[in-house]
Amino acid sequence: MKRKIVKEDVDSQVFNFFNILLMIIFTAIIIIPIWNVLISSFSSGKSLAEGGFALWPRDFSLENYRAVFRDDSIWQAFFISVAKTVIGATTHVLFCAMVAYGYSKKHLKGRKLYSAIGIVTMFFSGGMVPTYLLMKSLGLLDSFWVYIIPALLSFFDVIILMNFFRSIPDSLEDSAKIDGAGDWKIFMKIYLPLSKPALATIALFNGVGQWNDFFTTKLYITNKALYPLQMKIYEIIVQSQTHTMQNIGASVVLETTAKGVQLATIVVTTLPIILIYPLLQKHFLSGMMLGAVKE
Amino acid sequence: MMRIKSFLNAGFLLLLALSLVLTGCTSKSSSAVKGNTDYKLDKNTPAWKLDKTKKTTTLTWYVNADWWNTDYGHDFVTKQIKKDLNLDIKFITGDDTKLNALFSSGQIPDIISIFDANSQMAQKANTWALPLDDLAKKYDPYFNKVASKETMDWHKLSDGKTYGYSNYSNTKADYDSGIIPSTTAFVIRKDVYDAIGKPEMKTPEQFVSAMEKIKTQFPKLIPFGPGEAFGEILQDYIGVPLQTDSGEFYNRNLDEDYLTWIKTFNTVYRNGGISDDSFADDDTALSDKIKSGKYASMLISGIPQKGSDLQTFMTSNPGKEYIAVDGPQSTVGHEPTLSQSGITGWMMNYITKKCKNPAKAMQLFTYLLSEKGETLTTFGIEGQTYTVNADGKYSFTPELKEMRQKNPEQFKKEYRMGEFFFFGHDKYNALSDDTALEATKQLTAWGKGKLKPHFILEGIDPDQGTPEARAVSEIQTYWDSSLVKMVRAKNDQQFDKVLDSYKSFLKQNNWDKITKIRSEKMAENRKKLGQD
């Protein structure tokens, strides 16, 4: 009996050893390129031009970041990006939750019709031009609200939230009703606090989407004051390339290269959203487990 | 029953409301105000000088390029345009997607600039743009004085009218005058050239041996690169004929003389003289390699575009700069037929049918095309930003010159000269030595007298959307990869095999028909150019 346990230990030790080794290799494959981007973004144009791979900056320089932040309007763009991510994600979650709350009640009139309408829109969208026409008639062209209003509802998120709401026992609601609470109060005080994991998950998905989205800007926005970071930075990259094309200012040794600016850009745009991730991760994980186990 | 009825009613009301909103908006945009002609037309005075309207006009100008700087009215150049024309311009930029969305929604801007004169959009310009000939008659006859007749004729559509005008459209006269700089050259690093004893590199044997010398003496450098040179650039450089003797389309890719040189490059490759990266590098990587002088020698085209990279290398490596020397030459005695921007030009500018004030738009076109507009956008205003010296050369004032070199960002922001090039033209750049970089001067000087117009070959591809057009693009892709395979071939058999498969690919893909279409279009071109 004793021997068997020892044997199992050896087995699992071997397993653990290879498991850890494999995971280290796997993690390294993911982390090294990211690290390389981060390090290279701190290298001078000259050392980048020499090419090759580096795990440490050969010639430390902040010029790439200076090139990105030289334009004052980047802070405005940063503000727009943050605003649209925060407002967009919050309103999206609240709006979807409200719809899902109503939708989770079996006594809702016309429930089947709503779900038919919702499901159809999940599979078929109007396409670019009709959507453009719609935005135009709604007066959303060149307005900040084009980032928020069309993104308010996602039927997919409504379904996820609805399922989550259904798992909340009816007895909670009944007892609240007995105490004199109305639907609003029940929604705000019982459903929302109990659904934090699901809400956080959807907020994160939506927030990342909002942060990364530049197509909305490309199509509907012409006013540069409303450009988010993604679009602004796209402009900076394109301009760092046309700079050489227009062959201006070449008599000075350039401190930056187009590649350096691109790398700095990647770091600037990705970092904020990566930093938010750990804050939501706790909720996120339990949210992802939603419906994984059936009681 | 009652419930269903009220539901339907509500739905109907909603639809009605929506359609009202939609139609309300469209009717508003279609009742555009047409421009006024309160001024009396005069053939000899540009209309912008005659138009005394007090009220500032605002025009929307769409540029189909994300990189366009949409700023207007703050820098020296656009401030002057704003003042002279009493005109505000709102620039919009975007890509094809945005342009499509604008067109489909009927929100067509007043002026549109696109980049492909052979695109469907340009070919169908008569459906959405106003003919410049008519506009000139109606609003500004002076336009005909500043517009080049050749360019206007060249862009004529089948209805006999010209809708778009392009920049950098070089005419035969421009070529003949020798004012257009050549932008192709075989260049080699000066230190390398000196070290290998300045050998001749004109014949295949000489070339191969020179590359071998570089390989042994400079093991850290790549003797020859980049890969972009092996196609048309090389064909032009060694002077492969543009057409057959009878004026038909000639497949330059199968020219014996040219193939001999491709075989030579294959030998250089096999000797380790060409890096595999040369075929894979993107613009950024290539630019970085030139900046750090990785290539010992190159056959380059687009010297002005590579100017800043070449200059960077020159500045940080004095005495090692790239110089142009006589490179590969035809084995059958052809002269180089270097190519440059042709008569088609680059950006196409249109005034649309939805233009709120076509008179003002026409004034703007005339203004920018005139001597005044061209010098303003290239050099500014005489006495303020540039001076003309005794031999007629334009030169920036010393302060400006310094700012342009030391603080290009500030120069761009405050002056923006050389950037507002909707109607730019090479001959104005050539007026000054300041517009070219030190590192490129010797390179462009080498090509003097070697430029030959390629007008006859412009826009001769089958019309977009036809099966032949699809075949052409497939053949092109096939050729591009065949060319790389040929340069990288391990032995002569492999080289020949690739070439043979290209030939049979041509046969399978309607090549005869394509050749016929191209020959016909070449005949049309000849007619447009008045060579018939």
mmCIF file with all atom_site columns, all heavy atoms in Angstrom, chain B residues 118 154 170 175 340-345 453-461 521-522 525 528:
data_model
loop_
_atom_site.group_PDB
_atom_site.id
_atom_site.type_symbol
_atom_site.label_atom_id
_atom_site.label_alt_id
_atom_site.label_comp_id
_atom_site.label_asym_id
_atom_site.label_entity_id
_atom_site.label_seq_id
_atom_site.pdbx_PDB_ins_code
_atom_site.Cartn_x
_atom_site.Cartn_y
_atom_site.Cartn_z
_atom_site.occupancy
_atom_site.B_iso_or_equiv
_atom_site.pdbx_formal_charge
_atom_site.auth_seq_id
_atom_site.auth_comp_id
_atom_site.auth_asym_id
_atom_site.auth_atom_id
_atom_site.pdbx_PDB_model_num
ATOM 1   N N   . ASN B 1 118 ? -7.631 55.087 -63.577 1.00 0.00 ? 118 ASN B N   1
ATOM 2   C CA  . ASN B 1 118 ? -8.200 53.998 -64.363 1.00 0.00 ? 118 ASN B CA  1
ATOM 3   C C   . ASN B 1 118 ? -9.301 53.258 -63.624 1.00 0.00 ? 118 ASN B C   1
ATOM 4   O O   . ASN B 1 118 ? -9.813 52.255 -64.106 1.00 0.00 ? 118 ASN B O   1
ATOM 5   C CB  . ASN B 1 118 ? -7.100 53.013 -64.760 1.00 0.00 ? 118 ASN B CB  1
ATOM 6   C CG  . ASN B 1 118 ? -6.076 53.673 -65.637 1.00 0.00 ? 118 ASN B CG  1
ATOM 7   O OD1 . ASN B 1 118 ? -6.423 54.377 -66.591 1.00 0.00 ? 118 ASN B OD1 1
ATOM 8   N ND2 . ASN B 1 118 ? -4.812 53.508 -65.308 1.00 0.00 ? 118 ASN B ND2 1
ATOM 9   N N   . TRP B 1 154 ? -5.957 63.931 -72.552 1.00 0.00 ? 154 TRP B N   1
ATOM 10  C CA  . TRP B 1 154 ? -5.646 62.586 -72.066 1.00 0.00 ? 154 TRP B CA  1
ATOM 11  C C   . TRP B 1 154 ? -6.760 62.038 -71.177 1.00 0.00 ? 154 TRP B C   1
ATOM 12  O O   . TRP B 1 154 ? -7.082 60.864 -71.214 1.00 0.00 ? 154 TRP B O   1
ATOM 13  C CB  . TRP B 1 154 ? -4.324 62.611 -71.297 1.00 0.00 ? 154 TRP B CB  1
ATOM 14  C CG  . TRP B 1 154 ? -3.875 61.254 -70.880 1.00 0.00 ? 154 TRP B CG  1
ATOM 15  C CD1 . TRP B 1 154 ? -3.967 60.714 -69.636 1.00 0.00 ? 154 TRP B CD1 1
ATOM 16  C CD2 . TRP B 1 154 ? -3.282 60.252 -71.705 1.00 0.00 ? 154 TRP B CD2 1
ATOM 17  N NE1 . TRP B 1 154 ? -3.471 59.445 -69.621 1.00 0.00 ? 154 TRP B NE1 1
ATOM 18  C CE2 . TRP B 1 154 ? -3.041 59.131 -70.889 1.00 0.00 ? 154 TRP B CE2 1
ATOM 19  C CE3 . TRP B 1 154 ? -2.933 60.187 -73.062 1.00 0.00 ? 154 TRP B CE3 1
ATOM 20  C CZ2 . TRP B 1 154 ? -2.463 57.969 -71.372 1.00 0.00 ? 154 TRP B CZ2 1
ATOM 21  C CZ3 . TRP B 1 154 ? -2.361 59.016 -73.527 1.00 0.00 ? 154 TRP B CZ3 1
ATOM 22  C CH2 . TRP B 1 154 ? -2.133 57.934 -72.695 1.00 0.00 ? 154 TRP B CH2 1
ATOM 23  N N   . ASN B 1 170 ? 2.915  64.783 -66.527 1.00 0.00 ? 170 ASN B N   1
ATOM 24  C CA  . ASN B 1 170 ? 4.021  65.315 -67.333 1.00 0.00 ? 170 ASN B CA  1
ATOM 25  C C   . ASN B 1 170 ? 3.764  65.117 -68.818 1.00 0.00 ? 170 ASN B C   1
ATOM 26  O O   . ASN B 1 170 ? 3.501  64.007 -69.257 1.00 0.00 ? 170 ASN B O   1
ATOM 27  C CB  . ASN B 1 170 ? 5.326  64.630 -66.939 1.00 0.00 ? 170 ASN B CB  1
ATOM 28  C CG  . ASN B 1 170 ? 5.793  65.064 -65.577 1.00 0.00 ? 170 ASN B CG  1
ATOM 29  O OD1 . ASN B 1 170 ? 5.741  66.250 -65.244 1.00 0.00 ? 170 ASN B OD1 1
ATOM 30  N ND2 . ASN B 1 170 ? 6.221  64.117 -64.758 1.00 0.00 ? 170 ASN B ND2 1
ATOM 31  N N   . TYR B 1 175 ? 8.960  66.455 -70.830 1.00 0.00 ? 175 TYR B N   1
ATOM 32  C CA  . TYR B 1 175 ? 10.056 65.505 -71.018 1.00 0.00 ? 175 TYR B CA  1
ATOM 33  C C   . TYR B 1 175 ? 11.149 66.121 -71.884 1.00 0.00 ? 175 TYR B C   1
ATOM 34  O O   . TYR B 1 175 ? 12.327 66.044 -71.569 1.00 0.00 ? 175 TYR B O   1
ATOM 35  C CB  . TYR B 1 175 ? 9.547  64.216 -71.669 1.00 0.00 ? 175 TYR B CB  1
ATOM 36  C CG  . TYR B 1 175 ? 9.101  63.172 -70.676 1.00 0.00 ? 175 TYR B CG  1
ATOM 37  C CD1 . TYR B 1 175 ? 7.838  63.225 -70.099 1.00 0.00 ? 175 TYR B CD1 1
ATOM 38  C CD2 . TYR B 1 175 ? 9.948  62.136 -70.314 1.00 0.00 ? 175 TYR B CD2 1
ATOM 39  C CE1 . TYR B 1 175 ? 7.433  62.265 -69.186 1.00 0.00 ? 175 TYR B CE1 1
ATOM 40  C CE2 . TYR B 1 175 ? 9.551  61.168 -69.399 1.00 0.00 ? 175 TYR B CE2 1
ATOM 41  C CZ  . TYR B 1 175 ? 8.296  61.237 -68.840 1.00 0.00 ? 175 TYR B CZ  1
ATOM 42  O OH  . TYR B 1 175 ? 7.902  60.290 -67.929 1.00 0.00 ? 175 TYR B OH  1
ATOM 43  N N   . GLN B 1 340 ? 9.262  57.945 -65.826 1.00 0.00 ? 340 GLN B N   1
ATOM 44  C CA  . GLN B 1 340 ? 8.929  58.830 -64.714 1.00 0.00 ? 340 GLN B CA  1
ATOM 45  C C   . GLN B 1 340 ? 7.442  59.000 -64.732 1.00 0.00 ? 340 GLN B C   1
ATOM 46  O O   . GLN B 1 340 ? 6.756  58.432 -65.583 1.00 0.00 ? 340 GLN B O   1
ATOM 47  C CB  . GLN B 1 340 ? 9.643  60.184 -64.906 1.00 0.00 ? 340 GLN B CB  1
ATOM 48  C CG  . GLN B 1 340 ? 10.441 60.648 -63.711 1.00 0.00 ? 340 GLN B CG  1
ATOM 49  C CD  . GLN B 1 340 ? 9.602  61.470 -62.764 1.00 0.00 ? 340 GLN B CD  1
ATOM 50  O OE1 . GLN B 1 340 ? 8.443  61.183 -62.526 1.00 0.00 ? 340 GLN B OE1 1
ATOM 51  N NE2 . GLN B 1 340 ? 10.204 62.501 -62.184 1.00 0.00 ? 340 GLN B NE2 1
ATOM 52  N N   . SER B 1 341 ? 6.943  59.793 -63.824 1.00 0.00 ? 341 SER B N   1
ATOM 53  C CA  . SER B 1 341 ? 5.511  60.053 -63.779 1.00 0.00 ? 341 SER B CA  1
ATOM 54  C C   . SER B 1 341 ? 5.031  60.448 -65.176 1.00 0.00 ? 341 SER B C   1
ATOM 55  O O   . SER B 1 341 ? 5.577  61.361 -65.783 1.00 0.00 ? 341 SER B O   1
ATOM 56  C CB  . SER B 1 341 ? 5.271  61.177 -62.774 1.00 0.00 ? 341 SER B CB  1
ATOM 57  O OG  . SER B 1 341 ? 3.926  61.525 -62.771 1.00 0.00 ? 341 SER B OG  1
ATOM 58  N N   . GLY B 1 342 ? 4.013  59.750 -65.654 1.00 0.00 ? 342 GLY B N   1
ATOM 59  C CA  . GLY B 1 342 ? 3.576  59.970 -67.025 1.00 0.00 ? 342 GLY B CA  1
ATOM 60  C C   . GLY B 1 342 ? 2.479  61.001 -67.141 1.00 0.00 ? 342 GLY B C   1
ATOM 61  O O   . GLY B 1 342 ? 2.242  61.778 -66.214 1.00 0.00 ? 342 GLY B O   1
ATOM 62  N N   . ILE B 1 343 ? 1.788  60.968 -68.258 1.00 0.00 ? 343 ILE B N   1
ATOM 63  C CA  . ILE B 1 343 ? 0.774  61.975 -68.509 1.00 0.00 ? 343 ILE B CA  1
ATOM 64  C C   . ILE B 1 343 ? -0.473 61.719 -67.666 1.00 0.00 ? 343 ILE B C   1
ATOM 65  O O   . ILE B 1 343 ? -1.247 62.630 -67.397 1.00 0.00 ? 343 ILE B O   1
ATOM 66  C CB  . ILE B 1 343 ? 0.451  62.035 -70.022 1.00 0.00 ? 343 ILE B CB  1
ATOM 67  C CG1 . ILE B 1 343 ? -0.334 63.306 -70.330 1.00 0.00 ? 343 ILE B CG1 1
ATOM 68  C CG2 . ILE B 1 343 ? -0.265 60.798 -70.491 1.00 0.00 ? 343 ILE B CG2 1
ATOM 69  C CD1 . ILE B 1 343 ? -0.241 63.732 -71.768 1.00 0.00 ? 343 ILE B CD1 1
ATOM 70  N N   . THR B 1 344 ? -0.661 60.477 -67.219 1.00 0.00 ? 344 THR B N   1
ATOM 71  C CA  . THR B 1 344 ? -1.823 60.193 -66.375 1.00 0.00 ? 344 THR B CA  1
ATOM 72  C C   . THR B 1 344 ? -1.735 60.927 -65.049 1.00 0.00 ? 344 THR B C   1
ATOM 73  O O   . THR B 1 344 ? -2.741 61.319 -64.483 1.00 0.00 ? 344 THR B O   1
ATOM 74  C CB  . THR B 1 344 ? -1.937 58.672 -66.119 1.00 0.00 ? 344 THR B CB  1
ATOM 75  O OG1 . THR B 1 344 ? -1.903 58.014 -67.380 1.00 0.00 ? 344 THR B OG1 1
ATOM 76  C CG2 . THR B 1 344 ? -3.220 58.324 -65.405 1.00 0.00 ? 344 THR B CG2 1
ATOM 77  N N   . GLY B 1 345 ? -0.520 61.132 -64.570 1.00 0.00 ? 345 GLY B N   1
ATOM 78  C CA  . GLY B 1 345 ? -0.350 61.845 -63.317 1.00 0.00 ? 345 GLY B CA  1
ATOM 79  C C   . GLY B 1 345 ? -0.681 60.993 -62.118 1.00 0.00 ? 345 GLY B C   1
ATOM 80  O O   . GLY B 1 345 ? -0.607 59.767 -62.180 1.00 0.00 ? 345 GLY B O   1
ATOM 81  N N   . PRO B 1 453 ? 9.312  59.115 -72.489 1.00 0.00 ? 453 PRO B N   1
ATOM 82  C CA  . PRO B 1 453 ? 7.913  58.994 -72.081 1.00 0.00 ? 453 PRO B CA  1
ATOM 83  C C   . PRO B 1 453 ? 7.379  57.582 -72.335 1.00 0.00 ? 453 PRO B C   1
ATOM 84  O O   . PRO B 1 453 ? 7.682  56.990 -73.367 1.00 0.00 ? 453 PRO B O   1
ATOM 85  C CB  . PRO B 1 453 ? 7.196  59.998 -72.985 1.00 0.00 ? 453 PRO B CB  1
ATOM 86  C CG  . PRO B 1 453 ? 8.239  60.899 -73.526 1.00 0.00 ? 453 PRO B CG  1
ATOM 87  C CD  . PRO B 1 453 ? 9.514  60.121 -73.537 1.00 0.00 ? 453 PRO B CD  1
ATOM 88  N N   . HIS B 1 454 ? 6.609  57.062 -71.381 1.00 0.00 ? 454 HIS B N   1
ATOM 89  C CA  . HIS B 1 454 ? 5.967  55.752 -71.537 1.00 0.00 ? 454 HIS B CA  1
ATOM 90  C C   . HIS B 1 454 ? 4.460  55.926 -71.735 1.00 0.00 ? 454 HIS B C   1
ATOM 91  O O   . HIS B 1 454 ? 3.694  55.029 -71.449 1.00 0.00 ? 454 HIS B O   1
ATOM 92  C CB  . HIS B 1 454 ? 6.194  54.897 -70.279 1.00 0.00 ? 454 HIS B CB  1
ATOM 93  C CG  . HIS B 1 454 ? 7.583  54.356 -70.156 1.00 0.00 ? 454 HIS B CG  1
ATOM 94  N ND1 . HIS B 1 454 ? 8.688  55.068 -70.512 1.00 0.00 ? 454 HIS B ND1 1
ATOM 95  C CD2 . HIS B 1 454 ? 8.049  53.159 -69.702 1.00 0.00 ? 454 HIS B CD2 1
ATOM 96  C CE1 . HIS B 1 454 ? 9.777  54.342 -70.279 1.00 0.00 ? 454 HIS B CE1 1
ATOM 97  N NE2 . HIS B 1 454 ? 9.409  53.180 -69.791 1.00 0.00 ? 454 HIS B NE2 1
ATOM 98  N N   . PHE B 1 455 ? 4.062  57.122 -72.185 1.00 0.00 ? 455 PHE B N   1
ATOM 99  C CA  . PHE B 1 455 ? 2.627  57.450 -72.278 1.00 0.00 ? 455 PHE B CA  1
ATOM 100 C C   . PHE B 1 455 ? 1.838  56.375 -73.000 1.00 0.00 ? 455 PHE B C   1
ATOM 101 O O   . PHE B 1 455 ? 0.715  56.054 -72.630 1.00 0.00 ? 455 PHE B O   1
ATOM 102 C CB  . PHE B 1 455 ? 2.407  58.767 -73.036 1.00 0.00 ? 455 PHE B CB  1
ATOM 103 C CG  . PHE B 1 455 ? 3.112  59.947 -72.453 1.00 0.00 ? 455 PHE B CG  1
ATOM 104 C CD1 . PHE B 1 455 ? 3.277  61.105 -73.200 1.00 0.00 ? 455 PHE B CD1 1
ATOM 105 C CD2 . PHE B 1 455 ? 3.594  59.913 -71.158 1.00 0.00 ? 455 PHE B CD2 1
ATOM 106 C CE1 . PHE B 1 455 ? 3.912  62.207 -72.657 1.00 0.00 ? 455 PHE B CE1 1
ATOM 107 C CE2 . PHE B 1 455 ? 4.236  61.012 -70.618 1.00 0.00 ? 455 PHE B CE2 1
ATOM 108 C CZ  . PHE B 1 455 ? 4.404  62.158 -71.370 1.00 0.00 ? 455 PHE B CZ  1
ATOM 109 N N   . ILE B 1 456 ? 2.454  55.838 -74.039 1.00 0.00 ? 456 ILE B N   1
ATOM 110 C CA  . ILE B 1 456 ? 1.765  54.888 -74.906 1.00 0.00 ? 456 ILE B CA  1
ATOM 111 C C   . ILE B 1 456 ? 1.270  53.663 -74.122 1.00 0.00 ? 456 ILE B C   1
ATOM 112 O O   . ILE B 1 456 ? 0.283  53.030 -74.480 1.00 0.00 ? 456 ILE B O   1
ATOM 113 C CB  . ILE B 1 456 ? 2.728  54.485 -76.046 1.00 0.00 ? 456 ILE B CB  1
ATOM 114 C CG1 . ILE B 1 456 ? 2.024  53.722 -77.142 1.00 0.00 ? 456 ILE B CG1 1
ATOM 115 C CG2 . ILE B 1 456 ? 3.911  53.705 -75.577 1.00 0.00 ? 456 ILE B CG2 1
ATOM 116 C CD1 . ILE B 1 456 ? 1.572  54.623 -78.215 1.00 0.00 ? 456 ILE B CD1 1
ATOM 117 N N   . LEU B 1 457 ? 1.961  53.356 -73.002 1.00 0.00 ? 457 LEU B N   1
ATOM 118 C CA  . LEU B 1 457 ? 1.592  52.171 -72.227 1.00 0.00 ? 457 LEU B CA  1
ATOM 119 C C   . LEU B 1 457 ? 0.668  52.476 -71.056 1.00 0.00 ? 457 LEU B C   1
ATOM 120 O O   . LEU B 1 457 ? 0.325  51.593 -70.281 1.00 0.00 ? 457 LEU B O   1
ATOM 121 C CB  . LEU B 1 457 ? 2.866  51.494 -71.685 1.00 0.00 ? 457 LEU B CB  1
ATOM 122 C CG  . LEU B 1 457 ? 3.829  50.932 -72.718 1.00 0.00 ? 457 LEU B CG  1
ATOM 123 C CD1 . LEU B 1 457 ? 5.026  50.302 -72.033 1.00 0.00 ? 457 LEU B CD1 1
ATOM 124 C CD2 . LEU B 1 457 ? 3.140  49.909 -73.594 1.00 0.00 ? 457 LEU B CD2 1
ATOM 125 N N   . GLU B 1 458 ? 0.257  53.739 -70.914 1.00 0.00 ? 458 GLU B N   1
ATOM 126 C CA  . GLU B 1 458 ? -0.558 54.090 -69.745 1.00 0.00 ? 458 GLU B CA  1
ATOM 127 C C   . GLU B 1 458 ? -2.025 53.735 -69.948 1.00 0.00 ? 458 GLU B C   1
ATOM 128 O O   . GLU B 1 458 ? -2.601 54.029 -70.984 1.00 0.00 ? 458 GLU B O   1
ATOM 129 C CB  . GLU B 1 458 ? -0.413 55.583 -69.446 1.00 0.00 ? 458 GLU B CB  1
ATOM 130 C CG  . GLU B 1 458 ? 0.934  55.912 -68.828 1.00 0.00 ? 458 GLU B CG  1
ATOM 131 C CD  . GLU B 1 458 ? 1.115  57.391 -68.568 1.00 0.00 ? 458 GLU B CD  1
ATOM 132 O OE1 . GLU B 1 458 ? 0.127  58.062 -68.244 1.00 0.00 ? 458 GLU B OE1 1
ATOM 133 O OE2 . GLU B 1 458 ? 2.254  57.871 -68.720 1.00 0.00 ? 458 GLU B OE2 1
ATOM 134 N N   . GLY B 1 459 ? -2.587 53.110 -68.911 1.00 0.00 ? 459 GLY B N   1
ATOM 135 C CA  . GLY B 1 459 ? -4.022 52.799 -68.931 1.00 0.00 ? 459 GLY B CA  1
ATOM 136 C C   . GLY B 1 459 ? -4.433 51.852 -70.047 1.00 0.00 ? 459 GLY B C   1
ATOM 137 O O   . GLY B 1 459 ? -5.493 52.003 -70.632 1.00 0.00 ? 459 GLY B O   1
ATOM 138 N N   . ILE B 1 460 ? -3.598 50.871 -70.376 1.00 0.00 ? 460 ILE B N   1
ATOM 139 C CA  . ILE B 1 460 ? -3.954 49.985 -71.491 1.00 0.00 ? 460 ILE B CA  1
ATOM 140 C C   . ILE B 1 460 ? -4.492 48.640 -71.015 1.00 0.00 ? 460 ILE B C   1
ATOM 141 O O   . ILE B 1 460 ? -4.745 47.751 -71.817 1.00 0.00 ? 460 ILE B O   1
ATOM 142 C CB  . ILE B 1 460 ? -2.753 49.735 -72.436 1.00 0.00 ? 460 ILE B CB  1
ATOM 143 C CG1 . ILE B 1 460 ? -1.581 49.156 -71.658 1.00 0.00 ? 460 ILE B CG1 1
ATOM 144 C CG2 . ILE B 1 460 ? -2.354 51.015 -73.145 1.00 0.00 ? 460 ILE B CG2 1
ATOM 145 C CD1 . ILE B 1 460 ? -0.525 48.555 -72.558 1.00 0.00 ? 460 ILE B CD1 1
ATOM 146 N N   . ASP B 1 461 ? -4.674 48.489 -69.711 1.00 0.00 ? 461 ASP B N   1
ATOM 147 C CA  . ASP B 1 461 ? -5.207 47.218 -69.220 1.00 0.00 ? 461 ASP B CA  1
ATOM 148 C C   . ASP B 1 461 ? -6.680 47.096 -69.598 1.00 0.00 ? 461 ASP B C   1
ATOM 149 O O   . ASP B 1 461 ? -7.368 48.088 -69.726 1.00 0.00 ? 461 ASP B O   1
ATOM 150 C CB  . ASP B 1 461 ? -5.050 47.130 -67.706 1.00 0.00 ? 461 ASP B CB  1
ATOM 151 C CG  . ASP B 1 461 ? -3.668 46.639 -67.330 1.00 0.00 ? 461 ASP B CG  1
ATOM 152 O OD1 . ASP B 1 461 ? -3.023 46.015 -68.201 1.00 0.00 ? 461 ASP B OD1 1
ATOM 153 O OD2 . ASP B 1 461 ? -3.235 46.884 -66.199 1.00 0.00 ? 461 ASP B OD2 1
ATOM 154 N N   . LYS B 1 521 ? -5.841 49.625 -77.319 1.00 0.00 ? 521 LYS B N   1
ATOM 155 C CA  . LYS B 1 521 ? -5.787 50.785 -76.426 1.00 0.00 ? 521 LYS B CA  1
ATOM 156 C C   . LYS B 1 521 ? -4.556 51.632 -76.701 1.00 0.00 ? 521 LYS B C   1
ATOM 157 O O   . LYS B 1 521 ? -4.566 52.849 -76.522 1.00 0.00 ? 521 LYS B O   1
ATOM 158 C CB  . LYS B 1 521 ? -5.817 50.335 -74.975 1.00 0.00 ? 521 LYS B CB  1
ATOM 159 C CG  . LYS B 1 521 ? -7.154 49.747 -74.581 1.00 0.00 ? 521 LYS B CG  1
ATOM 160 C CD  . LYS B 1 521 ? -7.405 49.871 -73.115 1.00 0.00 ? 521 LYS B CD  1
ATOM 161 C CE  . LYS B 1 521 ? -8.835 49.452 -72.817 1.00 0.00 ? 521 LYS B CE  1
ATOM 162 N NZ  . LYS B 1 521 ? -9.250 49.758 -71.463 1.00 0.00 ? 521 LYS B NZ  1
ATOM 163 N N   . MET B 1 522 ? -3.487 50.967 -77.116 1.00 0.00 ? 522 MET B N   1
ATOM 164 C CA  . MET B 1 522 ? -2.283 51.731 -77.459 1.00 0.00 ? 522 MET B CA  1
ATOM 165 C C   . MET B 1 522 ? -2.555 52.609 -78.672 1.00 0.00 ? 522 MET B C   1
ATOM 166 O O   . MET B 1 522 ? -2.080 53.747 -78.755 1.00 0.00 ? 522 MET B O   1
ATOM 167 C CB  . MET B 1 522 ? -1.112 50.778 -77.729 1.00 0.00 ? 522 MET B CB  1
ATOM 168 C CG  . MET B 1 522 ? -0.488 50.251 -76.452 1.00 0.00 ? 522 MET B CG  1
ATOM 169 S SD  . MET B 1 522 ? 0.536  48.804 -76.701 1.00 0.00 ? 522 MET B SD  1
ATOM 170 C CE  . MET B 1 522 ? 1.968  49.512 -77.466 1.00 0.00 ? 522 MET B CE  1
ATOM 171 N N   . ASN B 1 525 ? -4.422 55.529 -77.466 1.00 0.00 ? 525 ASN B N   1
ATOM 172 C CA  . ASN B 1 525 ? -3.489 56.450 -76.811 1.00 0.00 ? 525 ASN B CA  1
ATOM 173 C C   . ASN B 1 525 ? -2.768 57.301 -77.841 1.00 0.00 ? 525 ASN B C   1
ATOM 174 O O   . ASN B 1 525 ? -2.596 58.504 -77.673 1.00 0.00 ? 525 ASN B O   1
ATOM 175 C CB  . ASN B 1 525 ? -2.444 55.682 -76.002 1.00 0.00 ? 525 ASN B CB  1
ATOM 176 C CG  . ASN B 1 525 ? -2.997 55.224 -74.670 1.00 0.00 ? 525 ASN B CG  1
ATOM 177 O OD1 . ASN B 1 525 ? -4.130 55.574 -74.330 1.00 0.00 ? 525 ASN B OD1 1
ATOM 178 N ND2 . ASN B 1 525 ? -2.231 54.463 -73.928 1.00 0.00 ? 525 ASN B ND2 1
ATOM 179 N N   . LYS B 1 528 ? -4.952 60.001 -78.927 1.00 0.00 ? 528 LYS B N   1
ATOM 180 C CA  . LYS B 1 528 ? -5.060 61.061 -77.918 1.00 0.00 ? 528 LYS B CA  1
ATOM 181 C C   . LYS B 1 528 ? -3.808 61.924 -77.890 1.00 0.00 ? 528 LYS B C   1
ATOM 182 O O   . LYS B 1 528 ? -3.862 63.116 -77.631 1.00 0.00 ? 528 LYS B O   1
ATOM 183 C CB  . LYS B 1 528 ? -5.230 60.430 -76.527 1.00 0.00 ? 528 LYS B CB  1
ATOM 184 C CG  . LYS B 1 528 ? -6.634 59.981 -76.205 1.00 0.00 ? 528 LYS B CG  1
ATOM 185 C CD  . LYS B 1 528 ? -6.754 59.812 -74.705 1.00 0.00 ? 528 LYS B CD  1
ATOM 186 C CE  . LYS B 1 528 ? -7.585 58.614 -74.319 1.00 0.00 ? 528 LYS B CE  1
ATOM 187 N NZ  . LYS B 1 528 ? -7.461 58.256 -72.918 1.00 0.00 ? 528 LYS B NZ  1
#
